[in-house]
Amino acid sequence: MTRSIVLGNGKLTTLFDTNYLMKELYFPLSIDNHLHTGRIGFLTRSGFHWFHDLNPEISYEPETLVSSASVTIDGESVMVTDTVDLAYPILIRRISRKRGRVFFAWDFHINGIEYGDTALFDPSSNSIIHYKRDKWFLFSCGVEPFQYATGYKETGSYQGTWKDCEDGELSNNPIAQGAVDSAVSFEVNDSIACWLVGGRSYRDVISLHEYVMERGGERILDRTRKYWKAWLIKAKYNEIKRSLLTIASHWQENGALPASLDTDIMRFNRDNYNYVWHRDAAFAIIAMALSGYEDLSRKFFQFSRPLLFRGYLFQKYTVDGHWGSTWHPWTGKYLPIQEDETALMIYALWVHFSIFKDVDFIKELYRPGVKAAADFLCSYLDDDGEHVLPSYDLWEERYGVHFFTGAAVYAGLISASRFASFFGEEDVSIKYITVAESIKKGLDNFWLGDHFARSVIDGKIDPTVDSSTVLGSLLVYPASDPHVKATRETAEKKLKVNDGIARYEGDQYLRDGDVPNPWFITTLWVAQELIAEGENEKALEYIRWVEKNSLKTGIIPEQITPSGKYPSVSPLVWSHAELVRTYYYLNLGFRNHLES
């Protein structure tokens, strides 16, 4: 189910579905989802109610990473407010109701698997604790609970201790091990602030628990609210604030930026989007740079520096810096990579540097990063010197020579030449420019009369209209070039679905009807090209489409079906990055980042 809320501080991150059921919990980095479900229930005069079954109204508090959900039960207004502390791995959960009993049920899958866990009640801290090896989670409301229980789930006939909540009584069973869960209840009078903390040991979680006890959950909630409002001081436009917060909530403490933390996609292929794709990250870095945010991107470049292998990047990485899973075979003649990712990182670094002028930071990345990658790009060419060698396309579906890949390599080499010139290596700069211009000459051969072909595969032109050529053309050619405008017009003519733009003709990915699903990033690429042409009013129509078809919370998914469903991940960081880029271009004019 679509994720409507994401809260995080780089150390602890959690996501909620459209019914405000907590479905993901990551700690200390977004490597494994440690949570199956986190439920809240209420006992009222009409009986027991699970909060997520009551179709709560869900929202973010404006300009914050504080979420709230509310329902009316038996005529009483009930509200749940959540946030992740600005500094520590602490989730604050505030329950507001006049009077009654509230239940919290925790179903952990620590390290991503359900077995080998321990759940216990710790009387010294009045808390429920779940742990496995070096992952510990402590939940408390700072007062003695009314009742508690630990028990078994997902084995034999056991549904889980959460089921015991539904009669309003818990067994006070103090400990269970294996495939286990827990439940705890508290009496509420007006409101109660509770917390879930993550740590590496019992000592860690007790220390954080004592910290919250001393400071108070309400105070931590309020300071986090104020922090995010202050953090947004650089954001020039109200329309991008939720996107900036969503991107920031995904950014990890070590600098990694996963594409999406929504694990619901696992039902399709038993894998997810919780990886670092440098392509997605590059556009997020550009969005943050345009918005004046420097520090997160610096951390990402530092995270990425040791990942270069012989000058290129692998398809994707785990957030702790290991090679991610892949479906690109290693048995071909050429490398199983997506070359545009390597090139786009140089391009993103140049955009970052052109805005912030952080010379000492860039100096450390120039030789081991920029030059190593650019030299690889110069070497990974066809014998004619005009075409990149085959790799996988940005959609990760086709192996060949792609227009967008060539455009990205061009942008990367022009960026590298700018760096080389800045550092006084004019001969190196000329080398990179010369190769880039040769690649541009090769890209001219992709022209088909009304659009750029997306690929050459096994020597044959693939004329399929693909939205990636809209994005790619703006990396290479000026907006005034008639080829750029014609490519955009053809994309609109061939790819428009319900006023959004699909990826390419005949796209089958997760579609549920006769036409492809429109994607949010592709729709915004067309808007960006229209802005570059001076057609702001037409661009606004696409921007409004994106906003109208996003979630009510402001979260932007990857795609939407013509029937209005969200079949893939939500949120997608790249979608939010493109909205930020589009608004900056709309208000400040389209900018060619490769200009000297």
Side-chain angles (χ1 to χ4, degrees):
M1 185 178 290
T2 303
R3 305 300 184 247
S4 295
I5 296 289
V6 54
L7 307 171
N9 65 359
K11 300 174 183 177
L12 187 144
T13 310
T14 185
L15 288 83
F16 299 77
D17 70 14
T18 54
N19 293 323
Y20 213 67
L21 185 64
M22 192 186 299
K23 294 297 294 182
E24 283 89 10
L25 182 73
Y26 298 99
F27 168 82
L29 297 172
S30 298
I31 300 168
D32 296 310
N33 175 23
H34 300 300
L35 188 68
H36 187 232
T37 51
R39 299 175 172 89
I40 293 179
F42 296 94
L43 189 64
T44 71
R45 64 176 181 269
S46 64
F48 185 86
H49 307 273
W50 287 115
F51 191 64
H52 63 272
D53 287 337
L54 300 174
N55 298 315
E57 288 290 324
I58 303 173
S59 64
Y60 283 102
E61 292 185 11
E63 301 185 6
T64 72
L65 283 174
V66 177
S67 62
S68 63
S70 60
V71 296
T72 299
I73 309 175
D74 297 341
E76 176 193 356
S77 177
V78 176
M79 177 174 287
V80 179
T81 303
D82 288 280
T83 196
V84 173
D85 179 56
L86 65 94
Y88 300 110
I90 302 170
L91 170 69
I92 300 294
R93 312 208 73 184
R94 184 181 190 273
I95 312 299
S96 301
R97 63 174 305 191
K98 290 181 180 178
R99 188 175 182 85
R101 199 175 305 164
V102 60
F103 292 73
F104 299 90
W106 295 103
D107 181 357
F108 283 93
H109 283 188
I110 300 179
N111 292 338
I113 51 179
E114 76 281 6
Y115 55 81
D117 297 356
T118 298
L120 62 90
F121 176 70
D122 177 19
S124 68
S125 58
N126 281 319
S127 67
I128 291 288
I129 294 176
H130 287 250
Y131 76 89
K132 180 191 293 173
R133 297 195 298 276
D134 64 343
K135 304 296 190 307
W136 287 69
F137 300 97
L138 178 153
F139 179 76
S140 176
C141 294
V143 296
E144 185 176 353
F146 180 78
Q147 290 176 329
Y148 60 83
T150 64
Y152 301 96
K153 60 166 190 186
E154 301 178 48
T155 180
S157 61
Y158 293 112
Q159 290 182 272
T161 305
W162 63 269
K163 195 69 176 174
D164 296 341
C165 298
E166 295 178 351
D167 64 2
E169 298 292 331
L170 298 175
S171 67
N172 289 333
N173 182 48
I175 193 166
Q177 57 83 218
V180 296
D181 68 342
S182 67
V184 60
S185 62
F186 296 89
E187 293 289 350
V188 180
N189 186 3
D190 186 44
S191 69
I192 188 170
C194 307
W195 49 89
L196 178 75
V197 304
R200 292 288 199 175
S201 65
Y202 180 68
R203 184 190 302 273
D204 283 354
V205 293
I206 288 298
S207 177
L208 283 173
H209 167 71
E210 291 172 347
Y211 171 82
V212 182
M213 288 288 291
E214 178 184 347
R215 293 295 182 97
E218 294 281 2
R219 182 179 174 186
I220 291 174
L221 173 62
D222 189 55
R223 77 164 185 173
T224 302
R225 179 185 289 121
K226 291 175 179 176
Y227 168 79
W228 287 114
K229 287 179 179 289
W231 185 83
L232 282 172
I233 193 171
K234 296 180 181 180
K236 293 183 178 180
Y237 314 111
N238 288 329
E239 295 91 344
I240 66 170
K241 289 181 177 178
R242 180 54 51 202
S243 287
L244 290 172
L245 289 168
T246 302
I247 295 170
S249 70
H250 281 71
W251 227 297
Q252 304 296 292
E253 184 181 26
N254 68 344
L257 180 61
S260 179
L261 298 177
D262 174 4
T263 61
D264 199 42
I265 194 72
M266 288 183 70
R267 64 180 187 237
F268 295 111
N269 63 354
R270 305 308 299 168
D271 208 342
N272 55 44
Y273 282 35
N274 183 14
Y275 295 98
V276 176
W277 274 271
H278 282 78
R279 177 191 309 107
D280 300 45
F283 289 104
I285 286 166
I286 294 169
M288 298 299 274
L290 291 171
S291 305
Y293 292 93
E294 179 180 4
D295 292 343
L296 292 173
S297 297
R298 286 167 64 104
K299 291 172 68 175
F300 183 83
F301 290 124
Q302 291 167 337
F303 163 82
S304 300
R305 175 180 169 177
L307 301 183
L308 273 180
F309 177 75
R310 296 177 179 173
Y312 64 85
L313 291 164
F314 189 60
Q315 177 194 5
K316 55 190 169 87
Y317 295 86
T318 62
V319 295
D320 54 349
H322 297 287
W323 284 24
S325 61
T326 187
W327 53 94
H328 297 347
W330 289 32
T331 51
K333 181 179 179 181
Y334 303 106
L335 295 171
I337 63 171
Q338 297 158 184
E339 189 180 1
D340 64 295
E341 295 195 279
T342 302
L344 287 171
M345 286 311 299
I346 310 175
Y347 173 60
L349 186 61
W350 174 252
V351 176
H352 172 91
F353 176 67
S354 68
I355 292 173
F356 299 114
K357 305 295 191 297
D358 43 358
V359 178
D360 287 335
F361 172 69
I362 295 298
K363 179 183 67 175
E364 301 301 321
L365 295 173
Y366 174 59
R367 183 172 297 280
V370 173
K371 288 186 69 175
D375 287 343
F376 167 77
L377 298 178
C378 288
S379 69
Y380 205 64
L381 296 173
D382 189 80
D383 291 340
D384 63 10
E386 296 183 357
H387 297 90
V388 297
L389 290 176
S391 65
Y392 283 87
D393 66 352
L394 81 166
W395 307 127
E396 306 188 313
E397 295 176 344
R398 278 161 293 280
Y399 186 69
V401 178
H402 312 292
F403 179 86
F404 179 79
T405 302
V409 171
Y410 171 84
L413 286 174
I414 293 294
S415 300
S417 75
R418 300 283 190 266
F419 279 120
S421 180
F422 180 84
F423 284 106
E425 295 190 303
E426 293 299 337
D427 57 332
V428 177
S429 177
I430 292 171
K431 170 189 172 182
Y432 294 154
I433 289 177
T434 302
V435 176
E437 291 300 326
S438 180
I439 290 171
K440 183 178 181 180
K441 183 180 178 181
L443 290 173
D444 294 341
N445 297 327
F446 281 70
W447 182 247
L448 297 179
D450 64 346
H451 70 286
F452 286 107
R454 70 173 174 186
S455 306
V456 175
I457 299 176
D458 295 330
K460 297 180 180 178
I461 286 282
D462 178 356
T464 303
V465 176
D466 191 309
S467 61
S468 67
T469 61
V470 176
L471 176 63
S473 64
L474 280 177
L475 293 174
V476 181
Y477 304 97
S480 59
D481 190 310
H483 297 79
V484 176
K485 181 178 180 180
T487 296
R488 186 266 303 163
E489 290 175 335
T490 300
E492 287 187 282
K493 179 180 178 181
K494 297 288 188 179
L495 303 180
K496 185 174 284 190
V497 178
N498 287 2
D499 296 324
I501 302 297
R503 290 196 299 174
Y504 55 81
E505 292 178 290
D507 185 11
Q508 298 292 321
Y509 182 55
L510 298 180
R511 72 191 239 182
D512 65 357
D514 297 329
V515 295
N517 300 334
W519 282 43
F520 293 92
I521 58 173
T522 56
T523 303
L524 290 166
W525 295 342
V526 170
Q528 291 166 16
E529 165 57 19
L530 286 165
I531 292 167
E533 295 174 22
E535 298 282 353
N536 285 14
E537 290 302 316
K538 290 184 66 177
L540 271 169
E541 294 177 12
Y542 287 112
I543 295 171
R544 300 291 179 244
W545 180 90
V546 168
E547 293 171 337
K548 181 182 72 174
N549 288 284
S550 298
L551 276 62
K552 291 181 180 179
T553 57
I555 291 295
I556 311 177
E558 178 185 70
Q559 56 182 293
I560 184 171
T561 68
S563 62
K565 299 175 182 177
Y566 302 111
S568 187
V569 294
S570 170
L572 181 70
V573 166
W574 195 358
S575 297
H576 286 278
E578 293 299 349
L579 183 66
V580 173
R581 292 207 311 141
T582 306
Y583 261 106
Y584 270 91
Y585 299 149
L586 179 70
N587 286 280
L588 300 179
F590 181 81
R591 179 179 174 188
N592 183 350
H593 300 295
L594 298 178
E595 293 179 353
S596 299

